[in-house]
Amino acid sequence: MSKVAKFDREEVIQKATNLYWGKGYHGTSMRNLQTAIDLRPGSIYATFGSKDNLFKESIQYYANKTGEVLENCLAETSSPLEGLKLFIRKLVIENLEGKPSCMCMIVKSISELTDADNKELLDEAKLLLANVENKFAEIITEAIKLGEIASDKDAKELASYIQVQIIGLRTYARVNSNVETINKFVNEIFIGSPFH
Amino acid sequence: MSKVAKFDREEVIQKATNLYWGKGYHGTSMRNLQTAIDLRPGSIYATFGSKDNLFKESIQYYANKTGEVLENCLAETSSPLEGLKLFIRKLVIENLEGKPSCMCMIVKSISELTDADNKELLDEAKLLLANVENKFAEIITEAIKLGEIASDKDAKELASYIQVQIIGLRTYARVNSNVETINKFVNEIFIGSPFH
DNA sequence: TTTTTAATGGAACACTCGTTCATTATACAA
DNA sequence: TTGTATAATGAACGAGTGTTCCATTAAAAA
């Protein structure tokens, strides 16, 4: 038999994800990636096929990792609502610094990509964001069952409301990353508007 | 004397703005622009200097036009609050289709550009967004004076809250452009959360 | 130890990028 | 009508793009 790849596939995807997340799809060149992940074109193309496919795997990796964070938050408390609140706090506050961007990579991609030029990648990003929203809806449905949220509320509507708030806050954080302001808005998500 | 420029400068900037707005800074090439505005490189560079400067003039043009829309909304009613509501409805609902993007060009730019690669353009975009927020704060201050909003509210905080909502909604609209959903969220901006 | 097979390195490709510049066209002043 | 100043043209430049190719390398199987 033959030689086996000496690099760690996940580690490579992780580094690619960090680059794409920070610089965007168009802002990241294959040479940027080659340097960041320390692989020559031959290896990258043998493993991932194309810039587009590497981006696709990266954004999927990002979505998986974010999903894991959400699962961990839910596991930390027995309350779905508290788990969800914890998740939002983690996303919005803890991502303010240190990460490639305080914005969500999926949202950045949906903002940057177009149907005309990158339909497949855009559709993938939209799908991943819809998955998150569905997960939110499940959690909220559970919270309604447990009486944590009034039973006349619509889980799907609240889920999309949460999405709007997270998207808005994480994007706004790029301009004003004042922790007190952001924290205040996070707290108000659940005590304001459609929840009461 | 000499030959005089035969193209309309504003018309050219308008076309450039539409292209940049839709495809983003990195997604728009000078060749794209040359075709869209029907000018050869020589003329473009003689008039605007560089891709970066044309982008800068474009985003400023976009901000000016948006400012005019806001002024018109305020002029339509004697109530600052109603004027502001009208503006948000216009931005979020009427931009759902037909425009280069349902998203705000300034927000798209802040999302796409980085300090490392395009600091000057990013700073310009941040400044323009801050200007909008200041204008919101002025309007809300006026609304408080007129008793349209409770006098214990902080105008600056409400202004940034409005920003978060508009950013969130216009971005979310790229994934779910259902008019009823969006419209519901727009209405809830003022009846929910920090306003009550 | 030899054979086999795939991973690796990195030069090179065709193309596109932002930009420049010598040339040509045009409108006005003299 | 001619001279002059400036706008418009478009070929061309060097650098950078995503990608291909293949000789070389290395490790597992025979």
Short mmCIF file of all heavy atoms in Angstrom, two decimals, chain D residues 13-26:
data_model
loop_
_atom_site.label_atom_id
_atom_site.label_comp_id
_atom_site.label_asym_id
_atom_site.label_seq_id
_atom_site.Cartn_x
_atom_site.Cartn_y
_atom_site.Cartn_z
P DC D 13 3.61 45.10 -22.66
OP1 DC D 13 4.98 45.24 -23.20
OP2 DC D 13 2.88 43.83 -22.82
"O5'" DC D 13 3.64 45.48 -21.12
"C5'" DC D 13 3.90 46.83 -20.72
"C4'" DC D 13 3.82 46.90 -19.20
"O4'" DC D 13 2.43 47.03 -18.82
"C3'" DC D 13 4.36 45.64 -18.54
"O3'" DC D 13 5.36 45.96 -17.60
"C2'" DC D 13 3.16 44.99 -17.88
"C1'" DC D 13 2.14 46.13 -17.77
N1 DC D 13 0.74 45.65 -17.96
C2 DC D 13 -0.24 45.99 -17.03
O2 DC D 13 0.07 46.70 -16.07
N3 DC D 13 -1.50 45.53 -17.21
C4 DC D 13 -1.80 44.77 -18.26
N4 DC D 13 -3.05 44.36 -18.39
C5 DC D 13 -0.80 44.41 -19.22
C6 DC D 13 0.44 44.86 -19.03
P DG D 14 6.52 44.85 -17.44
OP1 DG D 14 7.82 45.51 -17.60
OP2 DG D 14 6.16 43.63 -18.20
"O5'" DG D 14 6.33 44.52 -15.89
"C5'" DG D 14 6.21 45.58 -14.94
"C4'" DG D 14 5.35 45.13 -13.79
"O4'" DG D 14 4.00 44.88 -14.25
"C3'" DG D 14 5.82 43.82 -13.13
"O3'" DG D 14 5.72 44.00 -11.74
"C2'" DG D 14 4.83 42.78 -13.67
"C1'" DG D 14 3.57 43.62 -13.75
N9 DG D 14 2.53 43.11 -14.66
C8 DG D 14 2.70 42.51 -15.88
N7 DG D 14 1.56 42.18 -16.45
C5 DG D 14 0.59 42.59 -15.55
C6 DG D 14 -0.82 42.51 -15.62
O6 DG D 14 -1.52 42.04 -16.51
N1 DG D 14 -1.42 43.06 -14.48
C2 DG D 14 -0.75 43.61 -13.43
N2 DG D 14 -1.49 44.07 -12.42
N3 DG D 14 0.57 43.70 -13.35
C4 DG D 14 1.18 43.17 -14.44
P DA D 15 6.39 42.93 -10.75
OP1 DA D 15 7.43 43.67 -10.01
OP2 DA D 15 6.72 41.69 -11.50
"O5'" DA D 15 5.19 42.62 -9.77
"C5'" DA D 15 4.23 43.65 -9.50
"C4'" DA D 15 2.92 43.01 -9.08
"O4'" DA D 15 2.14 42.65 -10.24
"C3'" DA D 15 3.09 41.72 -8.27
"O3'" DA D 15 2.23 41.79 -7.16
"C2'" DA D 15 2.68 40.63 -9.24
"C1'" DA D 15 1.63 41.34 -10.07
N9 DA D 15 1.43 40.77 -11.40
C8 DA D 15 2.39 40.42 -12.31
N7 DA D 15 1.92 39.92 -13.42
C5 DA D 15 0.54 39.95 -13.23
C6 DA D 15 -0.54 39.55 -14.05
N6 DA D 15 -0.39 39.03 -15.26
N1 DA D 15 -1.78 39.70 -13.55
C2 DA D 15 -1.93 40.21 -12.32
N3 DA D 15 -1.00 40.64 -11.47
C4 DA D 15 0.23 40.47 -11.99
P DG D 16 2.23 40.72 -5.99
OP1 DG D 16 2.17 41.47 -4.73
OP2 DG D 16 3.31 39.75 -6.29
"O5'" DG D 16 0.83 39.96 -6.18
"C5'" DG D 16 -0.37 40.72 -6.24
"C4'" DG D 16 -1.48 39.82 -6.71
"O4'" DG D 16 -1.30 39.55 -8.11
"C3'" DG D 16 -1.52 38.46 -6.01
"O3'" DG D 16 -2.82 38.25 -5.49
"C2'" DG D 16 -1.18 37.45 -7.09
"C1'" DG D 16 -1.61 38.19 -8.35
N9 DG D 16 -0.88 37.77 -9.53
C8 DG D 16 0.48 37.76 -9.73
N7 DG D 16 0.82 37.30 -10.90
C5 DG D 16 -0.39 37.00 -11.52
C6 DG D 16 -0.65 36.47 -12.81
O6 DG D 16 0.15 36.15 -13.69
N1 DG D 16 -2.03 36.32 -13.03
C2 DG D 16 -3.00 36.64 -12.13
N2 DG D 16 -4.26 36.43 -12.51
N3 DG D 16 -2.77 37.14 -10.93
C4 DG D 16 -1.45 37.29 -10.69
P DT D 17 -3.21 36.93 -4.70
OP1 DT D 17 -4.03 37.41 -3.58
OP2 DT D 17 -2.02 36.07 -4.50
"O5'" DT D 17 -4.18 36.17 -5.73
"C5'" DT D 17 -5.31 36.85 -6.30
"C4'" DT D 17 -5.99 35.94 -7.31
"O4'" DT D 17 -5.23 35.95 -8.54
"C3'" DT D 17 -6.04 34.48 -6.91
"O3'" DT D 17 -7.19 34.26 -6.12
"C2'" DT D 17 -6.18 33.79 -8.27
"C1'" DT D 17 -5.42 34.72 -9.22
N1 DT D 17 -4.07 34.26 -9.65
C2 DT D 17 -3.95 33.55 -10.81
O2 DT D 17 -4.90 33.23 -11.49
N3 DT D 17 -2.66 33.21 -11.14
C4 DT D 17 -1.51 33.51 -10.45
O4 DT D 17 -0.41 33.15 -10.85
C5 DT D 17 -1.72 34.25 -9.22
C7 DT D 17 -0.52 34.63 -8.39
C6 DT D 17 -2.96 34.59 -8.90
P DG D 18 -7.27 32.90 -5.27
OP1 DG D 18 -8.38 33.07 -4.32
OP2 DG D 18 -5.92 32.59 -4.77
"O5'" DG D 18 -7.68 31.79 -6.33
"C5'" DG D 18 -8.90 31.90 -7.07
"C4'" DG D 18 -8.95 30.81 -8.13
"O4'" DG D 18 -7.78 30.93 -8.97
"C3'" DG D 18 -8.92 29.39 -7.58
"O3'" DG D 18 -9.80 28.57 -8.34
"C2'" DG D 18 -7.46 28.97 -7.73
"C1'" DG D 18 -7.05 29.72 -8.98
N9 DG D 18 -5.61 30.02 -9.01
C8 DG D 18 -4.87 30.59 -8.00
N7 DG D 18 -3.60 30.73 -8.30
C5 DG D 18 -3.50 30.21 -9.58
C6 DG D 18 -2.36 30.08 -10.43
O6 DG D 18 -1.19 30.41 -10.20
N1 DG D 18 -2.69 29.50 -11.66
C2 DG D 18 -3.96 29.11 -12.01
N2 DG D 18 -4.08 28.57 -13.23
N3 DG D 18 -5.03 29.22 -11.23
C4 DG D 18 -4.73 29.78 -10.03
P DT D 19 -9.94 26.98 -7.97
OP1 DT D 19 -11.23 26.50 -8.49
OP2 DT D 19 -9.59 26.78 -6.55
"O5'" DT D 19 -8.79 26.34 -8.87
"C5'" DT D 19 -8.83 26.56 -10.28
"C4'" DT D 19 -7.63 25.92 -10.94
"O4'" DT D 19 -6.41 26.58 -10.52
"C3'" DT D 19 -7.43 24.43 -10.63
"O3'" DT D 19 -7.73 23.70 -11.80
"C2'" DT D 19 -5.96 24.32 -10.22
"C1'" DT D 19 -5.37 25.65 -10.66
N1 DT D 19 -4.21 26.15 -9.87
C2 DT D 19 -2.96 26.17 -10.44
O2 DT D 19 -2.75 25.80 -11.58
N3 DT D 19 -1.95 26.65 -9.63
C4 DT D 19 -2.08 27.09 -8.33
O4 DT D 19 -1.09 27.49 -7.72
C5 DT D 19 -3.41 27.03 -7.77
C7 DT D 19 -3.65 27.48 -6.36
C6 DT D 19 -4.41 26.58 -8.56
P DT D 20 -7.67 22.08 -11.80
OP1 DT D 20 -8.70 21.61 -12.72
OP2 DT D 20 -7.60 21.59 -10.42
"O5'" DT D 20 -6.24 21.84 -12.49
"C5'" DT D 20 -5.95 22.52 -13.70
"C4'" DT D 20 -4.55 22.15 -14.18
"O4'" DT D 20 -3.56 22.79 -13.33
"C3'" DT D 20 -4.24 20.65 -14.14
"O3'" DT D 20 -3.65 20.32 -15.40
"C2'" DT D 20 -3.26 20.50 -12.98
"C1'" DT D 20 -2.55 21.86 -12.99
N1 DT D 20 -1.99 22.33 -11.69
C2 DT D 20 -0.67 22.76 -11.63
O2 DT D 20 0.06 22.76 -12.60
N3 DT D 20 -0.27 23.19 -10.40
C4 DT D 20 -1.02 23.24 -9.24
O4 DT D 20 -0.54 23.66 -8.19
C5 DT D 20 -2.38 22.78 -9.37
C7 DT D 20 -3.28 22.79 -8.18
C6 DT D 20 -2.80 22.35 -10.58
P DC D 21 -3.60 18.76 -15.88
OP1 DC D 21 -4.05 18.73 -17.28
OP2 DC D 21 -4.21 17.87 -14.86
"O5'" DC D 21 -2.02 18.51 -15.86
"C5'" DC D 21 -1.15 19.59 -16.17
"C4'" DC D 21 0.25 19.28 -15.69
"O4'" DC D 21 0.42 19.81 -14.36
"C3'" DC D 21 0.58 17.78 -15.62
"O3'" DC D 21 1.77 17.58 -16.34
"C2'" DC D 21 0.74 17.50 -14.13
"C1'" DC D 21 1.11 18.87 -13.56
N1 DC D 21 0.68 19.12 -12.15
C2 DC D 21 1.55 19.80 -11.27
O2 DC D 21 2.65 20.16 -11.68
N3 DC D 21 1.14 20.02 -10.00
C4 DC D 21 -0.06 19.62 -9.60
N4 DC D 21 -0.42 19.88 -8.33
C5 DC D 21 -0.96 18.94 -10.47
C6 DC D 21 -0.56 18.71 -11.74
P DC D 22 2.06 16.11 -16.98
OP1 DC D 22 2.46 16.33 -18.39
OP2 DC D 22 0.97 15.17 -16.64
"O5'" DC D 22 3.36 15.69 -16.15
"C5'" DC D 22 4.40 16.64 -15.96
"C4'" DC D 22 5.20 16.29 -14.72
"O4'" DC D 22 4.52 16.77 -13.54
"C3'" DC D 22 5.38 14.78 -14.50
"O3'" DC D 22 6.72 14.56 -14.10
"C2'" DC D 22 4.43 14.47 -13.36
"C1'" DC D 22 4.58 15.76 -12.57
N1 DC D 22 3.54 16.01 -11.53
C2 DC D 22 3.90 16.74 -10.39
O2 DC D 22 5.05 17.17 -10.28
N3 DC D 22 2.96 16.95 -9.43
C4 DC D 22 1.72 16.47 -9.58
N4 DC D 22 0.83 16.70 -8.62
C5 DC D 22 1.33 15.72 -10.74
C6 DC D 22 2.27 15.51 -11.68
P DA D 23 7.65 13.49 -14.93
OP1 DA D 23 7.75 13.95 -16.32
OP2 DA D 23 7.15 12.13 -14.60
"O5'" DA D 23 9.08 13.66 -14.24
"C5'" DA D 23 9.66 14.98 -14.11
"C4'" DA D 23 10.15 15.20 -12.68
"O4'" DA D 23 9.00 15.38 -11.81
"C3'" DA D 23 10.95 14.05 -12.10
"O3'" DA D 23 12.05 14.59 -11.35
"C2'" DA D 23 9.95 13.32 -11.20
"C1'" DA D 23 9.07 14.48 -10.72
N9 DA D 23 7.70 14.09 -10.38
C8 DA D 23 6.84 13.33 -11.12
N7 DA D 23 5.66 13.15 -10.56
C5 DA D 23 5.76 13.85 -9.38
C6 DA D 23 4.84 14.06 -8.32
N6 DA D 23 3.59 13.56 -8.32
N1 DA D 23 5.25 14.80 -7.27
C2 DA D 23 6.50 15.30 -7.29
N3 DA D 23 7.44 15.18 -8.21
C4 DA D 23 7.00 14.43 -9.25
P DT D 24 13.12 13.63 -10.62
OP1 DT D 24 14.43 14.30 -10.66
OP2 DT D 24 12.95 12.26 -11.17
"O5'" DT D 24 12.60 13.64 -9.12
"C5'" DT D 24 12.55 14.87 -8.41
"C4'" DT D 24 11.92 14.63 -7.05
"O4'" DT D 24 10.55 14.23 -7.21
"C3'" DT D 24 12.60 13.56 -6.22
"O3'" DT D 24 13.04 14.15 -5.00
"C2'" DT D 24 11.52 12.50 -5.99
"C1'" DT D 24 10.24 13.30 -6.18
N1 DT D 24 9.04 12.54 -6.61
C2 DT D 24 7.92 12.55 -5.80
O2 DT D 24 7.87 13.14 -4.74
N3 DT D 24 6.84 11.83 -6.30
C4 DT D 24 6.80 11.12 -7.48
O4 DT D 24 5.79 10.52 -7.81
C5 DT D 24 8.01 11.15 -8.27
C7 DT D 24 8.07 10.41 -9.57
C6 DT D 24 9.06 11.85 -7.81
P DT D 25 13.92 13.31 -3.95
OP1 DT D 25 14.83 14.25 -3.27
OP2 DT D 25 14.42 12.10 -4.62
"O5'" DT D 25 12.78 12.89 -2.91
"C5'" DT D 25 11.92 13.88 -2.35
"C4'" DT D 25 10.85 13.18 -1.52
"O4'" DT D 25 9.92 12.50 -2.38
"C3'" DT D 25 11.38 12.13 -0.55
"O3'" DT D 25 10.95 12.51 0.75
"C2'" DT D 25 10.77 10.81 -1.02
"C1'" DT D 25 9.54 11.28 -1.78
N1 DT D 25 9.04 10.42 -2.87
C2 DT D 25 7.73 10.02 -2.87
O2 DT D 25 6.95 10.32 -2.00
N3 DT D 25 7.36 9.23 -3.93
C4 DT D 25 8.15 8.82 -4.99
O4 DT D 25 7.70 8.12 -5.88
C5 DT D 25 9.52 9.27 -4.94
C7 DT D 25 10.48 8.88 -6.02
C6 DT D 25 9.91 10.04 -3.90
P DA D 26 11.62 11.86 2.04
OP1 DA D 26 11.73 12.93 3.05
OP2 DA D 26 12.80 11.06 1.63
"O5'" DA D 26 10.47 10.87 2.50
"C5'" DA D 26 9.15 11.37 2.71
"C4'" DA D 26 8.21 10.21 2.85
"O4'" DA D 26 7.99 9.60 1.56
"C3'" DA D 26 8.72 9.09 3.76
"O3'" DA D 26 7.65 8.70 4.60
"C2'" DA D 26 9.10 7.97 2.80
"C1'" DA D 26 8.06 8.20 1.71
N9 DA D 26 8.39 7.64 0.39
C8 DA D 26 9.62 7.59 -0.21
N7 DA D 26 9.60 7.03 -1.40
C5 DA D 26 8.27 6.69 -1.59
C6 DA D 26 7.59 6.07 -2.66
N6 DA D 26 8.19 5.68 -3.78
N1 DA D 26 6.25 5.90 -2.52
C2 DA D 26 5.66 6.31 -1.38
N3 DA D 26 6.19 6.89 -0.32
C4 DA D 26 7.52 7.06 -0.49
#
